[in-house]
Amino acid sequence: MNYLIKYNIVFILTLFVFGSLCSQSIESRLILKEGNNSYKKGDYKNSSDSYTNSIAEDQNNLDAIYNNGNSSMMSGDFQGARENFNNYISKSNNNIDKGKAHYNIGNSFLNQYAKETKEGGQPSSEYLKNAVDEYKKSLRYNPNDIDARYNLSYALKMMQNLDKKNQD
């Protein structure tokens, strides 16, 4: 009889803990959906806020972390995007997904370089070097990623052109 009471208590506590974890995940997913809707409308600030709130509810919500990186990049917050993608990489167990995150980090460096060039500034060549490094990491995780391969060759070509320009 005593064993039965202990079993029931453990069972109820397990349900309570599991229910709490599930409700956090459900709440996180609902907020994630709000963020996705804002992102589709082009409201990257709102979507990023929603993704941040979703992550606060469930720090292991990989979709929210990844989407927050995309939203940050679209709003021009390249450093924030890189932080989200690095967080995603550290929590993901899937090599293809890690490769995609490295690819996006490479894109953030390339986009930051392009933005600063367009604004008439003298962007750091470190952006191009970092982009190349990230595309290489992406290809280590997924050697069949033709987009990463293309962007790697594009960034290398930009580095060569910059070196030629600096030598002249």
Side-chain angles (χ1 to χ4, degrees), residues 19-133:
S20 296
L21 292 175
C22 286
S23 67
Q24 278 185 335
S25 183
I26 290 170
E27 181 67 25
S28 179
R29 293 276 175 205
L30 290 173
I31 299 169
L32 171 70
K33 189 174 180 179
E34 290 174 15
N36 290 344
N37 290 334
S38 294
Y39 186 92
K40 288 176 188 172
K41 294 176 186 173
D43 186 357
Y44 304 119
K45 169 74 172 106
N46 229 4
S47 65
S48 186
D49 290 345
S50 293
Y51 296 140
T52 300
N53 291 335
S54 179
I55 295 165
E57 286 290 326
D58 180 1
Q59 293 181 354
N60 293 315
N61 186 338
L62 293 178
D63 292 335
I65 296 169
Y66 188 84
N67 290 358
N68 201 15
N70 286 330
S71 185
S72 296
M73 181 138 46
M74 293 300 290
S75 67
D77 179 12
F78 301 113
Q79 183 60 37
R82 290 189 283 268
E83 289 170 7
N84 279 290
F85 290 129
N86 279 318
N87 185 16
Y88 180 84
I89 290 165
S90 71
K91 293 182 178 191
S92 177
N93 294 322
N94 184 305
N95 284 345
I96 299 296
D97 291 342
K98 286 182 179 189
K100 289 177 184 177
H102 280 293
Y103 171 79
N104 284 341
I105 294 171
N107 285 346
S108 75
F109 283 117
L110 203 56
N111 287 336
Q112 190 166 9
Y113 180 85
K115 180 182 178 188
E116 290 184 17
T117 301
K118 185 178 180 181
E119 292 172 350
Q122 183 65 27
S124 171
S125 63
E126 285 297 311
Y127 294 142
L128 293 176
K129 291 175 188 170
N130 290 335
V132 166
D133 289 342

